[in-house]
């Protein structure tokens, strides 16, 4: 699989549909403004009145929760809008927010479950936490694209990464390089008085978040499993090569079905067509 092609496609989608970047940019700007004012607080205030310390940490805690929820919504909107572009050739902020509001409970529950799993993993000597982050990377995309529940999305994400670990690792390496470069640029820009921290750096950070979410969505769609039901010969042909995502779009004969994982495709064929043979092609 050409991972660079996926990132290039994500870039083109962002350039042609810049509104996709607006939600994460807005969240990043809010975070930047809060951070700027927090840096302006003098530590001596806490010694003069210890009650201020509790108020400070309380404000930080509440703001962190708010930013976390807004960040989830923003990511959900970018994923929805990217998927709309890929599916229909067009999108809108209204459509993005509408879809996310419909799935907000599943999105929040998925985020909480992921957080618990990752935290427990980090408690178990860090590496399990990193692995948890890796195997759960598609969860939010699956909740939105496949209209899945939180628990089902977590399961499917685990299976999807497990079935495509090589391509996933390459994707993560490229994402890390992008994140590192943007992070360095952001730190440099933050040195610009006022506007650097509360506007320029957040814009870059938010746009990058949208870009990576778009790439992740495209990547997930490339990894979907396609099954062709051949009723005449009583065969259920499962295509395990990610490139079959493109093949399936141009094949008119037979019944084509899309699945998140190979396991889901095989289970569907066994249940719906028990008398059919199951074959793996492509």
């Amino acid at each position: 699989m050409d991972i660079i092609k996926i990132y290039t496609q994500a870039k083109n989608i962002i350039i042609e549909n810049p509104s996709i970047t607006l939600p994460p940019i807005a969240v990043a700007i809010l975070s930047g403004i809060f951070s700027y004012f927090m840096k302006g607080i003098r530590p001596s205030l806490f010694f003069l009145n210890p009650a201020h310390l509790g108020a400070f940490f309380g404000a930080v805690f509440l703001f962190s929760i708010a930013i976390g929820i807004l960040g989830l919504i923003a990511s959900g909107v970018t994923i929805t809008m990217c998927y709309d572009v890929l599916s229909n050739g067009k999108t809108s902020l209204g459509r993005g927010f509408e879809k996310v509001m419909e799935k907000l409970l599943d999105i929040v529950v998925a985020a909480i479950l992921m957080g618990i799993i990752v935290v427990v993993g980090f408690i178990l000597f860090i590496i399990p936490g990193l692995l948890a982050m890796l195997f759960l990377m598609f969860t939010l995309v699956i909740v939105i694209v496949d209209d899945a529940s939180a628990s089902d999305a977590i399961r499917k994400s685990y299976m999807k990464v497990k079935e495509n670990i090589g391509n996933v690792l390459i994707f993560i390496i490229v994402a890390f390089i992008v994140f590192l470069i943007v992070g360095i640029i952001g730190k440099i820009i933050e040195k610009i008085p006022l506007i650097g921290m509360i506007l320029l750096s957040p814009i870059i950070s938010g746009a990058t978040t949208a870009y990576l979410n778009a790439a992740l969505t495209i990547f997930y769609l490339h990894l979907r499993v396609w099954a062709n039901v051949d009723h005449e010969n009583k065969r259920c042909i499962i295509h395990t090569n990610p490139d079959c995502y493109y093949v399936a779009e141009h094949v008119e004969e037979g019944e084509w079905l899309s699945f998140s994982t190979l396991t889901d495709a095989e289970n569907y064929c066994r249940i719906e067509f028990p008398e059919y043979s199951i074959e793996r092609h492509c």
Side-chain angles (χ1 to χ4, degrees):
M1 178 183 292
D2 190 345
I3 299 297
I4 300 301
K5 184 178 180 180
I6 290 174
Y7 278 96
T8 301
Q9 186 178 2
K11 179 200 68 176
N12 293 336
I13 288 177
I14 294 296
I15 291 175
E16 294 170 5
N17 304 272
S19 60
I20 292 177
T21 66
L22 294 181
I25 286 177
V27 174
I29 290 176
L30 284 175
S31 182
I33 292 173
F34 185 79
S35 298
Y36 178 80
F37 283 107
M38 287 297 100
K39 283 188 175 182
I41 295 178
R42 293 176 298 174
S44 59
L45 292 175
F46 301 138
F47 293 102
L48 295 175
N49 189 344
H52 290 166
L53 183 61
F56 172 78
F57 282 114
V60 171
F61 176 73
L62 292 176
F63 182 79
S64 298
I65 292 177
I67 284 295
I69 295 175
L70 291 175
L72 280 174
I73 293 174
S75 292
V77 172
T78 59
I79 290 169
T80 299
M81 294 178 72
C82 178
Y83 183 58
D84 282 348
V85 171
L86 293 168
S87 303
N88 309 314
K90 60 182 180 179
T91 188
S92 68
L93 281 170
R95 161 62 185 162
F97 278 105
E98 180 183 357
K99 176 65 175 179
V100 170
M101 289 301 103
E102 291 175 359
K103 297 292 296 180
L104 185 58
L105 180 59
D106 285 316
I107 290 172
V108 172
V109 171
I112 292 173
L113 292 176
M114 289 169 61
I116 293 173
I117 294 171
V118 170
V119 168
V120 171
F122 275 110
I123 292 174
L124 299 174
F125 303 108
I126 300 178
I127 292 179
L130 294 175
L131 290 175
M133 293 174 65
L134 175 68
F135 280 95
L136 300 179
M137 61 183 283
F138 291 117
T139 301
L140 185 57
V141 176
I142 294 173
V143 167
I144 294 171
V145 171
D146 291 346
D147 199 25
S149 66
S151 58
D152 196 34
I154 288 175
R155 178 188 67 82
K156 288 182 177 180
S157 179
Y158 171 79
M159 293 300 299
K160 180 58 64 181
V161 173
K162 181 180 177 181
E163 293 172 0
N164 301 275
I165 189 64
N167 286 320
V168 167
L169 290 177
I170 296 173
F171 181 88
I172 290 296
I173 290 172
V174 176
F176 177 77
I177 293 172
V178 171
F179 184 79
L180 183 63
I181 293 173
V182 172
I184 293 173
I185 294 174
K187 287 298 181 182
I188 295 173
I189 291 178
E190 280 184 3
K191 302 299 181 181
I192 301 175
L194 187 61
I195 193 174
M197 177 175 286
I198 68 174
L199 186 61
L200 298 181
S201 182
I203 288 176
I204 294 175
S205 174
T208 302
T209 298
Y211 170 60
L212 293 177
N213 278 330
L216 185 65
T217 303
I218 297 169
F219 185 39
Y220 172 70
L221 293 175
H222 275 250
L223 294 177
R224 290 183 71 86
V225 176
W226 290 87
N228 177 228
V229 182
D230 181 359
H231 295 291
E232 181 178 351
N233 298 305
K234 292 189 175 182
R235 298 186 305 166
C236 191
I237 306 170
I238 299 175
H239 298 272
T240 56
N241 189 316
D243 290 333
C244 289
Y245 170 70
Y246 293 105
V247 174
E249 290 184 316
H250 300 93
V251 175
E252 297 180 357
E253 297 180 358
E255 179 183 350
W256 283 92
L257 302 169
S258 174
F259 298 90
S260 295
T261 68
L262 176 61
T263 302
D264 289 342
E266 291 179 337
N267 288 339
Y268 175 85
C269 290
R270 289 193 184 98
I271 294 173
E272 296 296 326
F273 309 102
E275 72 279 12
Y276 286 23
S277 63
I278 298 178
E279 303 175 15
R280 293 187 186 181
H281 286 195
C282 198

